[in-house]
Amino acid sequence: MRLTNFTFDSSVEIGTDGRHRYLDMHNIYAWQGVFYFSDQRRVRMSWLLPPVSSFGPHAKYVQDLPGGFVLEFRGVSRFAATPHDPELPYTEDTCLDGATFTPEGEHSDSGTGRKVFRVDVGYITFTFRSGFCITIWAEEAELILDRMPNTY
């Protein structure tokens, strides 16, 4: 999978040219949802910045961040999701626990998934605090800033 205009600087942080660890998908942004356009072989995942006032004394650190962003995956050959832990509240589905790339030829269900963040091969699995997972096999992924999640 080719990342066209961003990198994963950690398992939860996206960076862009000149902006290392720019978008924190665990501590700052809340995941909103996923849209799968099967006829276009496209998946969009969206994140939204909560109201700046909700950050209290740390609001100054997030006030200049984009209000939301989308990760768009194109050339999707496979898309899968696993359910969340029924013992956990659905609110835990909004908090990303980590994104893991798995190189081609290896299978994450066999325990070989690796935390590799700057790889241009394989597939990516997003794991949320609730145990809910989304795995995407795609040719490329693009970061789209400031697009609100409900404007598809």
Side-chain angles (χ1 to χ4, degrees), residues 53-91:
S53 60
S54 68
F55 290 94
H58 302 289
K60 64 183 176 186
Y61 299 112
V62 300
Q63 65 188 6
D64 294 328
L65 291 175
F69 65 91
V70 170
L71 290 179
E72 180 173 276
F73 298 87
R74 293 186 289 269
V76 173
S77 60
R78 191 167 163 203
F79 171 69
T82 59
H84 82 239
D85 182 340
E87 301 290 320
L88 295 172
Y90 285 96
T91 54

Side-chain angles (χ1 to χ4, degrees), residues 1 3 6 8 11-12 14 25 31 34 43 45 47 69 71 73 79-82 95-101 123-129 131-136 141:
M1 178 180 313
L3 306 180
F6 71 100
F8 278 90
S11 65
V12 297
I14 289 177
M25 299 181 294
W31 182 65
V34 62
V43 170
M45 296 181 68
W47 278 263
F69 65 91
L71 290 179
F73 298 87
F79 171 69
T82 59
C95 185
L96 182 70
D97 219 19
T100 304
F101 279 93
Y123 56 91
I124 188 169
T125 299
F126 294 90
T127 304
F128 297 86
R129 297 292 303 256
F132 174 61
C133 296
I134 294 175
T135 302
I136 302 170

Side-chain angles (χ1 to χ4, degrees), residues 99-111:
T100 304
F101 279 93
T102 303
E104 289 296 335
E106 295 185 16
H107 301 283
S108 61
D109 59 353
S110 65

Side-chain angles (χ1 to χ4, degrees), residues 130-151:
S130 66
F132 174 61
C133 296
I134 294 175
T135 302
I136 302 170
W137 290 256
E139 294 170 9
E140 67 180 12
E142 179 181 4
L143 171 67
I144 303 168
L145 295 175
D146 291 323
R147 176 172 261 167
M148 299 317 296
N150 59 354
T151 59

